[in-house]
Amino acid sequence: MTRTTPPRPVDVTAIFPELAPFARTAYRLHPRNGAPTAHDSSVGGPLLWPAEEPWPSCAGPHEWDKPKPVRGDHAESLEGVRTTRRLLREEASRPGPRAERLRPEEREALRQANARVPWPANPVPMLPVAQLWARDVPLPGLFAGTDVLQVLWCPFDHDEDGKPYPRVTLRRRTAADVTDVLAEPPRPASVQYSGYVPEPCLLAPERVTEYPNLMELALLEPGLAEEIEGESRWEAAGVRLDALVAEHPDLDPDDAERYEDLYRCALSLAPGWKAGGWSTWGRTDPVDRPCPACGTPAEPLLTLASTEAYGDSGTWIPYEDRDLVRWGHGDVESGNQAALTLGDCDTLQLHACPAHPFVDLVQ
């Protein structure tokens, strides 16, 4: 399985050579449904976890630990989430009108799977989110001298620093040290909602080059950011927006009305799941996130995404997925096989210290 991102519509460093020192390597992960093993790079797959090492859990505080907890049963069964997805996949694969595709017993199973369940007891076992092997994603900063990076989270919101996200933990380990793999790790009985449960996916890592978000570039090199937002150097290089849109039909005219839109949508940051690179930034303005243990600024580690491509990123859609594109929405039919749902910004970015297990979440 491979995915190939088309070349950028414009070589931005030919117009702005000062941008070249800010180039960073990222790996687009392109998760696609499969049956990963503990020895694969994956999203939502089993982890290479030593049998003798305790599985991480979250003691809260959770929603049900508050002085005035929410009344009622508000969690979703993890097994119910898996069952619902399986039944809906089977329904979609069958011919005929949608109302007739499910058998009566399957409809009852679907109804039971969607029933709300009580909040779980503390502590909550964490859920595997991603595992990356250095052989597949050769970015030394991710692994800090090891060769396997593992990301887990508690699939419930935690109001930390005013951000209601799942609580994340990292493990970096050397695969050769794991001689006895944990066969049946603990699993949470329930989750906040299904969008926090990643579907098992194999990865097709692809190396790309990224440049900073304009907000971040304005802090690093203010004058350069202003020139990219202007028109003079683009037009002096013969780059005209109307001609580019005519040449690249996947470049949405509504999202390329200004040169800063062109930079943002097509020339700087890849959409979707990725490791390394630059931060997208969205609701949060760029700001250093120092590690509390050593003071080192946390660097972009992993971007989790609700979709592989969206309205303003059509030029990033891989060649292999072009026949799946819903051009009316700028989306890809297979673009959310990992099945995460991450809010209005569609992404959750993990920043981490290369030497310590500190991780910070940014949307």
Side-chain angles (χ1 to χ4, degrees):
M1 184 180 71
T2 60
R3 291 294 183 274
T4 310
T5 298
R8 298 300 80 217
V10 175
D11 179 1
V12 69
T13 57
I15 305 170
F16 302 96
E18 314 96 302
L19 195 60
F22 297 106
R24 278 188 185 175
T25 296
Y27 276 84
R28 301 189 72 189
L29 300 180
H30 302 302
R32 294 296 184 269
N33 293 151
T37 72
H39 298 277
D40 294 314
S41 291
S42 68
V43 164
L47 304 183
L48 188 76
W49 198 273
E52 70 277 5
E53 183 177 322
W55 188 262
S57 59
C58 179
H62 295 102
E63 183 72 40
W64 56 91
D65 298 318
K66 294 180 178 180
K68 294 183 179 180
V70 176
R71 295 185 177 183
D73 298 334
H74 287 263
E76 295 187 38
S77 160
L78 177 60
E79 189 61 35
V81 171
R82 302 288 194 201
T83 298
T84 296
R85 291 176 179 172
R86 176 180 59 80
L87 289 172
L88 293 180
R89 283 195 299 269
E90 292 175 1
E91 176 197 45
S93 69
R94 296 169 183 165
R98 183 173 183 181
E100 302 173 5
R101 292 176 190 169
L102 285 180
R103 305 178 185 98
E105 64 273 17
E106 291 174 326
R107 291 187 181 280
E108 175 59 21
L110 191 61
R111 186 192 67 78
Q112 294 183 19
N114 285 310
R116 294 288 179 164
V117 298
W119 296 115
N122 289 330
V124 177
M126 289 196 160
L127 195 64
V129 175
Q131 176 172 268
L132 302 180
W133 287 66
R135 65 176 184 238
D136 301 321
V137 186
L139 289 172
L142 300 186
F143 299 95
T146 64
D147 59 0
V148 181
L149 171 70
Q150 297 167 331
V151 180
L152 307 91
W153 69 18
C154 173
F156 290 88
D157 288 334
H158 295 74
D159 191 9
E160 297 174 343
D161 299 327
K163 298 174 294 188
Y165 306 144
R167 180 174 290 162
V168 175
T169 189
L170 303 178
R171 293 291 189 276
R172 294 181 175 99
R173 64 177 80 254
T174 301
D177 295 341
V178 184
T179 56
D180 187 11
V181 180
L182 181 64
E184 292 292 337
R187 298 188 304 171
S190 56
V191 299
Q192 183 100 16
Y193 78 109
S194 61
Y196 284 166
V197 181
E199 275 293 286
C201 288
L202 290 164
L203 307 181
E206 177 197 16
R207 178 174 176 160
V208 296
T209 300
E210 292 192 332
Y211 300 96
N213 174 291
L214 277 172
M215 289 191 296
E216 191 161 13
L217 186 61
L219 299 176
L220 299 169
E221 197 76 23
L224 179 57
E226 291 178 2
E227 290 209 60
I228 290 175
E229 292 173 341
E231 301 178 355
S232 58
R233 287 180 64 176
W234 296 97
E235 294 184 350
V239 177
R240 298 189 59 85
L241 290 175
D242 53 355
L244 270 180
V245 169
E247 185 179 352
H248 298 275
D250 46 3
L251 189 62
D252 192 329
D254 293 337
D255 293 311
E257 294 181 344
R258 301 170 298 175
Y259 287 101
E260 63 184 87
D261 294 330
L262 174 66
Y263 178 83
R264 175 178 59 84
C265 300
L267 306 178
S268 55
L269 297 159
W273 285 76
K274 66 180 181 181
W278 288 92
S279 292
T280 303
W281 302 110
R283 292 181 175 177
T284 307
D285 290 339
V287 62
D288 284 341
R289 305 283 178 168
C291 170
C294 64
T296 302
E299 293 291 334
L301 179 86
L302 182 67
T303 298
L304 289 59
S306 300
T307 182
E308 182 83 342
Y310 35 83
D312 57 2
S313 56
T315 64
W316 292 96
I317 297 171
Y319 288 124
E320 295 84 352
D321 290 334
R322 298 246 142 185
D323 60 337
L324 302 174
V325 176
R326 297 197 306 266
W327 288 111
H329 302 89
D331 201 357
V332 182
E333 290 283 2
S334 60
N336 192 20
Q337 293 199 13
L340 293 190
T341 305
L342 300 172
D344 294 341
C345 293
D346 284 326
T347 60
L348 192 60
Q349 301 160 79
L350 310 185
H351 289 193
C353 174
H356 297 94
F358 168 71
V359 60
D360 186 75
L361 281 66
V362 175
Q363 192 174 43

